[in-house]
């Protein structure tokens, strides 16, 4: 296998993250959890946060956890299956909050008694950690944060202020009742000068009340991912000097800032470098949710009977429309597994490279017009967008294909679909990431490709065909956008006048780029290990055919495929579904989650009895 840049991976874990020893320990700590019923936010919030304490009993210390890909993969995959809201809590607590502390606080700082107590409480799960970067008032607020942390030289403290209601922070913050701390991204002001965006660790509340100078709104409901969310404002909250997660930066006794990590323009990128670990692990969670959804929909379709006039009593899966939808979802879920492996490999490669240079100086990266995410790491943010968009397609289609059963909380599909839908905006808005990726690609030198006319004839049954086709599509879209940019600049256009008419083309290019990265990950696994067996090769081919049908328009108008080839894709998909029919048990066993981790009545041959049994339990099928 090679990474999307052509380099070999630094490490390859062929184990399913749901079946490793780490996953078993996490599953044992959480127990066989059933999805929660809709309930009052504070009760839901309490149960989800209580799981942090149980997880803390089995997880390694933060710095060890955050360097270990097997632990991170298992934590992501298991928690999203048990409860997507718990996964969001884990992301905020472990990946972003503790990740910021581990990445930006030096050993001397961590040894400070007051800070050490808070970090210990976070690691034990007694305190819940969150990450406060988004400000509620404006789009792309990350690029123009207005919350300030002003240094008071006399007391050597920082004073946090929210200038107005539009600068209030928004995140999964619960109302007081459980101790909570947050990494707050704020503009550092020293002697009236702004020195960019820096992270600060702030205690928000304890069991009884909010901390002085902190205001937390009442709970805000978000139906797609049911947790307690709130707005947070700072009204002169004071922080000790060591709560500045400063890395190698410092302010001397004369009140002068020293920051060897770079100028203020790099500060935001350095602060948000914690996003790399998020984007490396979100694809694992997305793949787990997609796999569970696809296998549940597949098994339900095999057992569920149709009473339509064409074939009374036949399994729903006997209909070609259901085959194409459900097996196509299974194929994309399989592909997302490969994307998840690639994201972890890229992250580890970046971690190894980071170890060879100053931890405070981020690697050179592209600028960003819409978000800071692509500037932090274009490939990882693109893979996050690809994985989440794919999981959103898979989970939503599986939910629809199960009828009303797909919308019952006890069957889990609705929760998985809500997770994928919400992460289209959480952790870096996918559309904005795609816009920045597309704009950056249009400004680069054209990639080398095979001369025109040398590509082999299209064969959708070849599992590597889609990778070649989408690579060609990306190159042609990029060339067309470059030509339009050159034409606009030739007419004296710049800035908004130049780019605004081209933004949809840039977004499409960014999307196709992420699909090319995914296709490369899938194609690289064909012929190696388990990827060489006929069922998985056919599953890979069906993934490519399904994606090509979805992009049939751009493939034709750019000349990548002819109208005749595009018209043949329907027959290819039917043919591939037929070839998969003898292997469904094998694929369901390989891709489905352990029953003890995410039980659902949907997979039972007698669905109605299994549903009734779940509802008859004292907990009503819920924790």
């Amino acid at each position: 296998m090679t990474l999307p840049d052509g380099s070999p991976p630094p490490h390859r874990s062929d184990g399913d993250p749901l079946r490793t020893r780490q996953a078993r320990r996490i599953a044992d700590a959480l127990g066989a959890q059933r999805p929660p019923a809709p309930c009052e936010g504070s009760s839901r919030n309490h149960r989800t946060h209580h799981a942090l304490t149980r997880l803390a009993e089995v997880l390694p210390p933060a710095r060890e956890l955050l360097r270990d890909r097997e632990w991170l993969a298992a934590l992501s995959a298991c928690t999203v299956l048990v409860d997507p809201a718990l996964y969001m809590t884990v992301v905020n607590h472990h990946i972003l909050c503790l990740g910021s502390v581990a990445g930006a606080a030096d050993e001397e700082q961590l040894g400070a008694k007051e800070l050490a107590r808070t970090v210990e409480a976070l690691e034990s799960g007694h305190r819940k950690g969150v990450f406060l970067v988004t400000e509620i008032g404006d789009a792309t607020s990350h690029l123009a944060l207005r919350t300030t942390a002003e240094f008071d030289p006399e007391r050597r403290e920082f004073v946090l202020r929210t200038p107005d209601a539009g600068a209030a922070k928004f995140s999964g913050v619960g109302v007081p009742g459980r101790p909570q701390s947050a990494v707050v991204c704020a503009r550092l002001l020293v002697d009236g000068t702004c020195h960019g965006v820096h992270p600060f660790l702030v205690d928000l509340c304890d069991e009884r009340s909010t901390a002085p100078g902190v205001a937390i709104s009442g709970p805000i409901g978000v139906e797609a991912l049911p947790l307690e969310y709130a707005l947070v404002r700072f009204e002169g909250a004071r922080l000790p000097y060591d709560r500045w997660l400063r890395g190698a930066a410092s302010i001397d006794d004369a009140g002068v800032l020293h920051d060897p990590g770079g100028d203020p323009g790099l500060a935001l990128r350095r602060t948000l470098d914690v996003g790399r670990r998020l984007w490396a692990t979100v694809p694992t969670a997305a793949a787990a949710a997609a796999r569970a959804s696809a296998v549940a929909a597949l098994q339900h379709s095999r057992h569920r009977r149709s009473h339509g006039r064409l074939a009374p009593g036949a399994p729903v899966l006997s209909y070609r429309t259901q085959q194409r939808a459900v097996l196509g979802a299974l194929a994309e879920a399989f592909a997302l597994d490969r994307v998840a492996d690639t994201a972890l490999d890229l992250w580890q490669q970046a971690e190894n490279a980071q170890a060879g240079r100053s931890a405070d100086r981020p690697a050179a990266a592209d600028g960003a017009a819409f978000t800071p995410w692509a500037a932090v790491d274009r490939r990882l943010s693109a893979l996050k967008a690809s994985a989440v968009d794919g999981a959103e397609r898979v989970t939503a289609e599986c939910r629809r294909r199960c009828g009303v059963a797909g919308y019952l909380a006890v069957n889990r599909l609705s929760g998985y679909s809500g997770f994928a839908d919400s992460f289209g905006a959480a952790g870096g808005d996918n559309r904005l990431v795609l816009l920045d990726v597309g704009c950056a690609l249009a400004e680069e030198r054209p990639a080398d490709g095979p001369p025109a006319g040398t590509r082999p004839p299209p064969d959708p049954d070849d599992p590597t065909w889609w990778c070649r086709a989408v690579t060609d599509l990306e190159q042609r879209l990029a060339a067309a956008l470059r030509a339009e940019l050159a034409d606009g600049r030739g007419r004296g256009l710049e800035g908004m006048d130049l780019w605004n008419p081209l933004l949809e083309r840039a977004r499409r290019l960014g999307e196709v780029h992420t699909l090319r990265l995914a296709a490369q990950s899938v194609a690289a696994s064909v012929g190696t290990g388990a990827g060489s067996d006929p069922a998985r090769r056919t599953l890979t081919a069906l993934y490519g055919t399904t994606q090509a049908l979805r992009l049939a328009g751009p493939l034709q108008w750019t000349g990548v495929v002819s109208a005749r080839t595009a018209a043949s894709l329907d027959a290819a998909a039917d043919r591939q579904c037929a070839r998969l029919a003898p292997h469904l048990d094998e694929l369901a066993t390989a891709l489905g989650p352990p029953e003890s981790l995410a039980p659902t009545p949907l997979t039972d041959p007698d669905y109605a009895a299994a549903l009734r049994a779940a509802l008859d339990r004292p907990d009503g099928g819920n924790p």
Side-chain angles (χ1 to χ4, degrees):
M1 174 184 171
T2 58
L3 298 179
D5 63 357
S7 61
H11 170 73
R12 171 75 180 188
S13 174
D14 290 319
D16 184 337
L18 293 171
R19 292 172 172 82
T20 60
R21 63 176 179 82
Q22 292 90 342
R24 288 193 293 272
R25 294 185 65 184
I26 291 169
D28 289 343
L30 296 176
Q33 299 292 309
R34 286 165 292 279
C39 62
E40 294 298 323
S42 58
S43 174
R44 178 69 164 81
N45 208 37
H46 176 77
R47 288 201 306 271
T48 303
H49 299 170
H50 181 63
L52 289 177
T53 306
R54 300 199 301 271
L55 286 171
E57 296 172 359
V58 299
L59 294 178
R63 287 199 166 183
E64 180 182 339
L65 169 70
L66 295 168
R67 288 195 300 264
D68 191 313
R69 59 176 279 154
E70 274 72 34
W71 266 114
L72 289 173
L75 182 62
S76 299
C78 290
T79 53
V80 80
L81 290 180
V82 167
D83 180 2
L86 172 60
Y87 171 71
M88 172 61 95
T89 303
V90 163
V91 163
N92 251 317
H93 182 87
H94 289 283
I95 305 296
L96 297 177
C97 181
L98 279 169
S100 295
V101 174
D106 60 23
E107 292 295 339
E108 179 183 353
Q109 189 175 358
L110 288 173
K113 192 172 184 180
E114 195 268 346
L115 178 62
R117 280 199 301 266
T118 296
V119 173
E120 181 181 358
L122 287 167
E123 288 194 316
S124 69
H126 177 67
R127 272 192 173 271
K128 175 200 171 192
V130 296
F131 188 76
L132 298 181
V133 58
T134 300
E135 295 180 349
I136 199 65
D138 291 317
T140 58
S141 63
H142 298 53
L143 295 177
L145 293 178
R146 294 187 295 127
T147 300
T148 59
E150 185 172 8
F151 181 64
D152 178 348
E154 292 186 4
R155 297 173 59 172
R156 289 192 68 77
E157 294 179 339
F158 298 94
V159 182
L160 261 65
R161 292 189 176 89
T162 303
D164 54 54
K169 300 288 189 180
F170 173 82
S171 189
V173 176
V175 296
R178 182 180 182 88
Q180 297 179 91
S181 297
V183 169
V184 179
C185 300
R187 290 190 297 122
L188 172 62
L189 302 180
V190 180
D191 195 23
T193 300
C194 177
H195 294 276
V197 174
H198 291 247
F200 300 83
L201 184 61
V202 183
D203 293 338
L204 299 180
C205 60
D206 57 21
E207 293 88 342
R208 295 173 299 280
S209 62
T210 55
V214 177
I216 302 176
S217 75
I220 301 174
V222 177
E223 292 181 355
L225 198 60
L227 264 179
E228 246 177 33
Y229 299 83
L231 300 179
V232 181
R233 296 184 64 175
F234 301 101
E235 301 165 348
R238 285 189 167 269
L239 301 179
Y241 180 79
D242 282 328
R243 290 304 188 98
W244 172 30
L245 304 178
R246 59 187 181 269
S250 63
I251 300 174
D252 63 23
D253 292 339
V256 177
L257 174 72
H258 303 276
D259 187 0
D263 60 42
L266 288 175
L268 176 62
R269 187 187 302 170
R270 191 169 69 244
T271 297
L272 297 181
D273 193 67
V274 68
R276 293 180 195 270
R277 192 177 289 109
L278 172 64
W279 305 323
T281 53
V282 166
T284 298
R291 285 169 49 182
S293 299
V295 170
L298 169 64
Q299 299 293 58
H300 191 57
S301 297
R302 297 174 76 186
H303 306 315
R304 189 182 184 196
R305 299 292 167 178
S306 164
H307 297 284
R309 188 175 301 173
L310 289 179
V316 171
L317 195 63
S318 63
Y319 290 86
R320 284 284 174 84
T321 52
Q322 191 79 353
Q323 290 176 21
R324 290 270 292 274
V326 173
L327 296 183
L330 191 70
E332 185 154 15
F334 170 73
L336 293 179
D337 241 11
R338 312 282 79 76
V339 172
D341 276 331
T342 297
L344 287 167
D345 286 336
L346 284 172
W347 167 70
Q348 187 168 359
Q349 185 183 62
E351 287 289 291
N352 293 344
Q354 184 83 4
R357 61 175 180 267
S358 168
D360 276 298
R361 186 175 297 278
D366 306 302
F370 296 95
T371 74
W373 307 119
V376 172
D377 193 306
R378 184 205 296 177
R379 292 179 300 172
L380 280 177
S381 62
L383 286 171
K384 177 265 181 184
S386 176
V388 168
D389 285 348
E392 184 177 9
R393 283 191 296 271
V394 169
T395 56
E397 184 68 7
C398 291
R399 182 177 61 177
R400 285 192 294 269
R401 292 290 169 166
C402 290
V404 70
Y407 291 82
L408 302 183
V410 71
N411 287 327
R412 298 184 176 272
L413 298 188
S414 194
Y416 297 153
S417 184
F419 148 74
D421 181 43
S422 64
F423 262 86
D429 189 286
N430 285 0
R431 287 186 175 273
L432 299 181
V433 168
L434 297 182
L435 278 170
D436 272 331
V437 168
C439 291
L441 291 170
E443 299 282 18
E444 291 179 351
R445 184 179 68 84
D448 295 329
T454 63
R455 295 180 179 85
D459 177 10
D461 290 329
D462 180 344
T464 65
W465 170 77
W466 170 241
C467 184
R468 297 194 304 270
V470 73
T471 299
D472 193 0
L473 178 61
E474 179 185 0
Q475 291 173 354
R476 295 184 188 216
L477 290 175
L481 185 53
R482 289 188 193 101
E484 292 185 271
L485 281 172
D487 176 69
R489 285 172 174 143
R491 292 183 284 114
L493 301 179
E494 58 183 19
M496 186 73 160
D497 291 335
L498 173 65
W499 276 105
N500 204 27
L502 305 178
L503 289 181
E504 182 55 28
R505 294 172 179 81
R507 186 207 60 78
R508 184 182 297 117
L509 174 58
E511 178 189 9
V512 170
H513 174 74
T514 67
L515 292 174
R516 193 262 296 170
L517 294 179
Q520 268 188 300
S521 298
V522 178
S525 69
V526 175
T528 61
S532 61
D533 72 76
R536 297 200 178 202
R537 287 178 65 84
T538 302
L539 204 61
T540 300
L542 178 59
Y543 164 69
T545 303
T546 303
Q547 298 303 308
L549 280 165
R550 199 167 61 83
L551 292 178
L555 286 168
Q556 288 179 82
W557 79 56
T558 55
V560 174
V561 302
S562 66
R564 181 177 179 180
T565 296
S568 73
L569 293 174
D570 270 319
D574 288 340
R575 184 169 63 246
Q576 290 153 4
C577 287
R579 289 174 180 169
L580 287 173
H583 305 285
L584 297 184
D585 286 333
E586 167 197 342
L587 292 172
T589 299
L591 296 178
E595 173 66 19
S596 61
L597 191 63
T600 171
L602 274 178
T603 58
D604 196 289
D606 190 344
Y607 166 67
L611 177 63
R612 180 61 184 267
L615 298 177
D616 282 347
R617 287 194 300 262
D619 58 16
N622 302 290

